[in-house]
Amino acid sequence: MKKDVREATPTAASGAASPEDIRRFRENFQGEVDGVAIYQRLARAEKDESRRAIFLQLAETEKRHLKVWEDKLRAAGVEPPERRPSFRIRVMSFLADRIGVRAVLPMVSAMESSGFDNYMAQADAGPAMARNERAHARALSSMYQQPSSAPPGEIDTGMIARGESWHRIDTGGQLRAAIFGISDGLLSNLSLVIGVAGAQPSGRFIVLAGVAGLLAGAFSMGAGEWISVTSQRELFERQIALEAQELEADPDEERGELELIYRAKGLPRDEARALAARIIADREVALETLAREELGLNPEALGSPWGVAFASFASFAVGAVIPVVPWLFGSSWPFFLASVVVSGIAAFLVGAGVSLFTGRNPVFAGLRQVGIAAGAAAVTYGIGRAIGVGTSG
């Protein structure tokens, strides 16, 4: 029979577990019960012996985690709950039996990823448990990728390359960012300029609004990208630093995690073990490999916050200046029309550029972009016209 939490929890002065701690221990306990249950069920449903062995190994790790929270509950004077899988796990197990193991692996991987975040936020869980959850998620991600096409007993290097997205050189990354930055600047400032023009002020007010919109948007884009990349870089650097500490503290554990990931990618057990051992033997290579394999990071490609900020500022400004240029030469109807036409041509070119990355027909993508720009400009023009009439009346 379970003890009442209030009776089982000593006073805060004793330094023992609080009611909030006990609630958290129970949640962690249930999470590990779910982990053990799903991996054991996947092992029973899996027909491939090597993959079945991986699931059983994952289940053993979850059992060790389960024992930790079981001991913490007992130390707090609380009897651990019955080991009963949650409804979510029972549904996933049903799907694995009826549809196949592969169908539920993405869901299990997502569960492990959330487990990593959960344990990283708990001081008494520490990085060790979080690291295990992260390694499990990476292994599962490798397992539900496209199956190996290599003959039995041979390594499918293509499958490994497919699983390691960091090995692909994103040659279009900067071009893609530039195109989307120009698109943002063009659409937002076209809407602003046409909206202000709808109120029929003098030409200098339209130019002032366009320049103000250009600067405000460009600075906002640049600052936003700087903050985003800086925060991401700090997070990545912290994760890499934690990985370095874990590698120094327990290299055997890290070797086992690498072995598990390579086995999930399709390497035979002996080859995976030998490869992991060779990597761990060199600390520098080991840290870089662990960052790639477990974290999905390329330590050499974290990016420059200032470079990204400047690129975002410049690309937005390029797009935003296009609808303003005709107004520099006059404010009559022909210049209004020129602004619309020039912006429409630019919108078509930007849409066609986007098709380089989406694979869509460039004409379709360009016309779609023109339609979006025309719709936004029409709405803002109507609003500006209504405000202009209202204020003049």
Side-chain angles (χ1 to χ4, degrees):
M1 183 175 179
K2 297 179 183 177
K3 297 181 180 179
D4 184 85
V5 171
R6 290 170 296 181
E7 296 176 355
T9 306
T11 61
S14 66
S18 67
E20 176 62 25
D21 289 332
I22 293 174
R23 182 194 61 79
R24 181 167 51 84
F25 296 163
R26 289 179 184 273
E27 291 178 353
N28 293 339
F29 178 87
Q30 182 60 50
E32 299 302 341
V33 168
D34 287 347
V36 173
I38 191 60
Y39 286 129
Q40 289 179 339
R41 179 60 68 91
L42 292 177
R44 289 200 298 269
E46 178 58 58
K47 296 179 175 58
D48 182 85
E49 287 295 334
S50 62
R51 291 161 68 91
R52 181 182 296 120
I54 292 174
F55 289 134
L56 292 175
Q57 182 175 338
L58 294 174
E60 289 302 315
T61 303
E62 301 294 343
K63 286 181 182 179
R64 292 198 298 271
H65 292 179
L66 179 61
K67 182 68 165 54
V68 170
W69 302 116
E70 187 176 53
D71 291 345
K72 285 185 178 295
L73 283 170
R74 288 203 168 102
V78 178
E79 187 63 22
E82 179 184 357
R83 296 187 180 185
R84 180 178 176 80
S86 65
F87 176 75
R88 176 189 181 191
I89 296 302
R90 294 199 295 273
V91 171
M92 291 167 61
S93 299
F94 176 83
L95 293 175
D97 290 339
R98 301 300 187 276
I99 303 177
V101 171
R102 187 180 176 84
V104 302
L105 286 183
M107 291 183 281
V108 183
S109 179
M111 184 178 71
E112 292 287 11
S113 295
S114 64
F116 167 73
D117 295 333
N118 179 41
Y119 280 157
M120 284 298 292
Q122 300 184 45
D124 48 6
M129 286 190 185
R131 180 186 63 213
N132 290 149
E133 303 296 328
R134 182 185 59 211
H136 292 180
R138 299 288 297 170
L140 293 169
S141 296
S142 299
M143 292 176 76
Y144 65 75
Q145 289 161 0
Q146 183 176 344
S148 173
S149 59
E154 296 186 12
I155 301 173
D156 184 355
T157 55
M159 186 189 74
I160 296 176
R162 286 192 298 272
E164 298 174 352
S165 58
W166 47 85
H167 285 174
R168 303 179 194 143
I169 301 176
D170 185 12
T171 55
Q174 295 179 348
L175 176 61
R176 180 173 62 249
I179 289 176
F180 282 105
I182 292 172
S183 176
D184 288 343
L186 175 63
L187 291 178
S188 64
N189 224 33
L190 173 64
S191 300
L192 174 62
V193 167
I194 297 302
V196 173
Q200 297 184 333
S202 64
R204 60 194 182 97
F205 285 110
I206 298 175
V207 173
L208 177 62
V211 172
L214 183 156
L215 293 175
F219 276 114
S220 176
M221 286 283 291
E225 288 296 327
W226 187 90
I227 292 171
S228 174
V229 174
T230 298
S231 300
Q232 184 183 46
R233 187 180 183 91
E234 290 172 350
L235 174 62
F236 286 177
E237 288 174 344
R238 177 176 178 272
Q239 290 181 318
I240 292 173
L242 286 174
E243 198 66 51
Q245 295 174 8
E246 294 165 7
L247 177 62
E248 188 67 28
D250 195 350
D252 288 338
E253 182 74 16
E254 298 293 333
R255 181 200 56 74
E257 291 174 8
L258 271 182
E259 177 188 337
L260 178 64
I261 290 172
Y262 287 134
R263 285 173 58 196
K265 289 178 181 289
L267 270 68
R269 181 192 293 266
D270 292 342
E271 293 182 19
R273 180 176 297 145
L275 177 59
R278 288 199 300 271
I279 291 172
I280 293 297
D282 187 321
R283 288 293 187 268
E284 183 175 345
V285 173
L287 179 58
E288 181 176 347
T289 304
L290 287 166
R292 295 176 187 272
E293 296 287 6
E294 290 192 3
L295 304 179
L297 307 177
N298 182 352
E300 299 176 355
L302 293 179
S304 166
W306 288 109
V308 173
F310 177 78
S312 297
F313 180 97
S315 61
F316 185 96
V318 168
V321 77
I322 293 172
V324 179
V325 171
W327 295 100
L328 297 174
F329 303 97
S331 58
S332 60
W333 171 251
F335 299 101
F336 174 91
L337 184 61
S339 177
V340 171
V341 171
V342 170
S343 298
I345 294 172
F348 180 86
L349 294 176
V350 168
V354 171
S355 72
L356 296 174
F357 307 103
T358 63
R360 300 300 298 268
N361 182 287
V363 175
F364 170 81
L367 292 175
R368 181 177 60 183
Q369 189 81 357
V370 171
I372 294 171
V379 170
T380 56
Y381 178 82
I383 295 173
R385 184 69 174 167
I387 293 174
V389 172
T391 54
S392 63

